[in-house]
Amino acid sequence: MKIIDEIVLLETFLTLVQEQSLQNAAVRLLTTKSTVSRRIEQLESKIGIKLFGETAPKYALSEEGKDFVTQAEILVKEYRRIAVPWDLQAKSRQFIHISCPYSLGITLLIPWVTRYRQIHPEALIDVGLTLGPVFRLPALCDLRFSDTKVSDERLFSERLGLMPRVMLASPEYLARCGTPRTPKDLTAHSLLGSRDLVTHFSFLLRRVGEHSEFVKIPFYPSIRLRDYTSAKKAALVGAGIAVHALMHDTVQEVQKGELVRVLPEWEPEASAVSLLWPVSHPMSDSVKVFRDYIFEQWQAQPILLGPNAEDFSSHAG
């Protein structure tokens, strides 16, 4: 078996670990589910261990698989490093590798990176934007912005803050389909979710006021979307009500009247965001400077500090 084939097997394994779904892994790798499954079988045969357990969830790692993940990440990372042409390797090592959810990257990170490079023109930054939940760091990653709960002893985690969310629709949609007056009315509308609603069938709302009241809304979308910016765009063209629109990304549309707040006395759960980095290697000075800059930018945006997300956690069951 050629070495490139072995790298492909390892990359397929790490992608399936991250996605926890044959379908999602196949989409990300631009291949088929059967190919992903066959590659995993080949890898298990080659190394002589079962990488995934026999019980639900189907693609939960076995104990041996958990041990093998770290080795696979190291091997893939080293391969990618040495695969860079020799005259570019020195420059490549200077990059700060950032992984970030697509919506957060488009609306916040890329503008911040642009300003950062105006202050530090020597900085080289590699930004990888992801769709859907990511439960593990990519093989080549110094910092990961995460709005998914990740529990991994191989990662350091530091809370950045919150991204408050609102429910929005276009005036045209509300004129055509009616304006909800109560949370229960939402069930009669086309609801546009976001990445964290792809695999969930309900979402939580809290009444704004001195005495909190919570209600759980069923969610069965006719259009499945995988990021917040897609939901906003769909709402703008009259496809329905975006139930998890990012407040900081919709201020201008609301001010222009292109989008209207729906049930403003009720608010969706804010999206908590953390910064993750690997335990396996020390953070370089350049990464530390960039991390501190990101925290400064976040704290300078009052709209990103949001309400107390812990209020939701005790009612999410």
Side-chain angles (χ1 to χ4, degrees):
M1 183 178 290
K2 299 178 182 178
I3 185 64
I4 187 64
D5 293 332
E6 295 176 355
I7 293 299
V8 168
L9 297 183
L10 292 174
E11 289 181 329
T12 301
F13 165 63
L14 292 175
T15 301
L16 184 55
V17 169
Q18 292 172 359
E19 297 293 341
Q20 297 187 316
S21 158
L22 273 181
Q23 178 63 40
N24 293 345
V27 170
R28 185 167 156 188
L29 293 168
L30 303 178
T31 187
T32 63
K33 292 193 296 182
S34 61
T35 298
V36 172
S37 180
R38 184 171 63 253
R39 289 176 183 174
I40 296 301
E41 291 176 358
Q42 290 175 349
L43 181 59
E44 290 179 330
S45 176
K46 184 172 183 63
I47 62 179
I49 63 173
K50 290 292 291 182
L51 294 169
F52 297 97
E54 300 294 338
T55 58
K58 187 173 183 180
Y59 291 104
L61 287 167
S62 65
E63 290 304 315
E64 291 176 312
K66 292 177 183 177
D67 293 335
F68 185 71
V69 164
T70 301
Q71 301 176 51
E73 289 173 340
I74 293 172
L75 289 170
V76 171
K77 184 174 182 179
E78 181 63 12
Y79 170 78
R80 290 176 178 172
R81 184 187 70 79
I82 64 176
V84 175
W86 184 254
D87 60 342
L88 297 179
Q89 284 194 30
K91 194 171 185 179
S92 176
R93 284 195 292 271
Q94 299 172 12
F95 273 89
I96 300 172
H97 298 278
I98 310 298
S99 175
C100 183
Y102 179 85
S103 295
L104 194 157
I106 292 296
T107 62
L108 293 176
L109 180 59
I110 290 178
W112 288 348
V113 164
T114 301
R115 291 199 291 270
Y116 183 80
R117 291 205 68 256
Q118 293 171 354
I119 303 169
H120 303 276
E122 76 288 353
L124 300 173
I125 301 177
D126 171 46
V127 178
L129 302 182
T130 62
L131 290 174
V134 173
F135 297 99
R136 305 189 64 82
L137 260 64
L140 199 63
C141 182
D142 295 305
L143 292 171
R144 163 74 186 173
F145 292 78
S146 178
D147 53 1
T148 302
K149 292 182 179 179
V150 177
S151 179
D152 192 328
E153 65 276 8
R154 290 166 294 188
L155 299 177
F156 289 117
S157 175
E158 192 167 1
R159 178 75 168 266
L160 266 174
L162 299 168
M163 291 191 297
R165 303 189 280 196
V166 291
M167 295 186 291
L168 299 170
S170 70
E172 180 272 331
Y173 173 84
L174 296 176
R176 174 164 46 90
C177 300
T179 299
R181 302 299 177 188
T182 69
K184 185 178 179 181
D185 294 342
L186 291 170
T187 59
H189 285 265
S190 173
L191 302 182
L192 307 169
S194 55
R195 56 180 300 280
D196 53 344
L197 285 179
V198 170
T199 57
H200 292 75
F201 301 103
S202 66
F203 61 96
L204 204 60
L205 295 177
R206 178 179 63 179
R207 184 191 290 274
V208 179
E210 182 178 353
H211 302 290
S212 294
E213 179 184 350
F214 294 84
V215 61
K216 184 176 288 188
I217 305 299
F219 181 74
Y220 299 100
S222 54
I223 304 176
R224 297 181 66 191
L225 301 169
R226 297 182 182 276
D227 70 274
Y228 305 110
T229 52
S230 296
K232 182 184 81 169
K233 180 64 176 178
L236 281 168
V237 299
I241 300 173
V243 296
H244 274 173
L246 298 176
M247 184 181 291
H248 74 266
D249 186 42
T250 53
V251 172
Q252 292 185 0
E253 289 82 0
V254 171
Q255 290 176 344
K256 293 177 182 178
E258 297 171 345
L259 290 173
V260 178
R261 287 282 298 269
V262 173
L263 297 174
E265 68 277 15
W266 291 87
E267 60 184 18
E269 182 178 8
S271 178
V273 180
S274 298
L275 206 56
L276 311 178
W277 62 94
V279 174
S280 57
H281 60 271
M283 187 180 293
S284 68
D285 290 340
S286 61
V287 175
K288 289 178 182 177
V289 172
F290 182 78
R291 179 197 61 180
D292 293 344
Y293 167 81
I294 291 300
F295 273 97
E296 291 172 2
Q297 296 303 305
W298 198 284
Q299 292 300 316
Q301 303 286 332
I303 200 170
L304 297 178
L305 303 180
N308 192 344
E310 281 73 16
D311 290 346
F312 281 92
S313 60
S314 60
H315 294 81

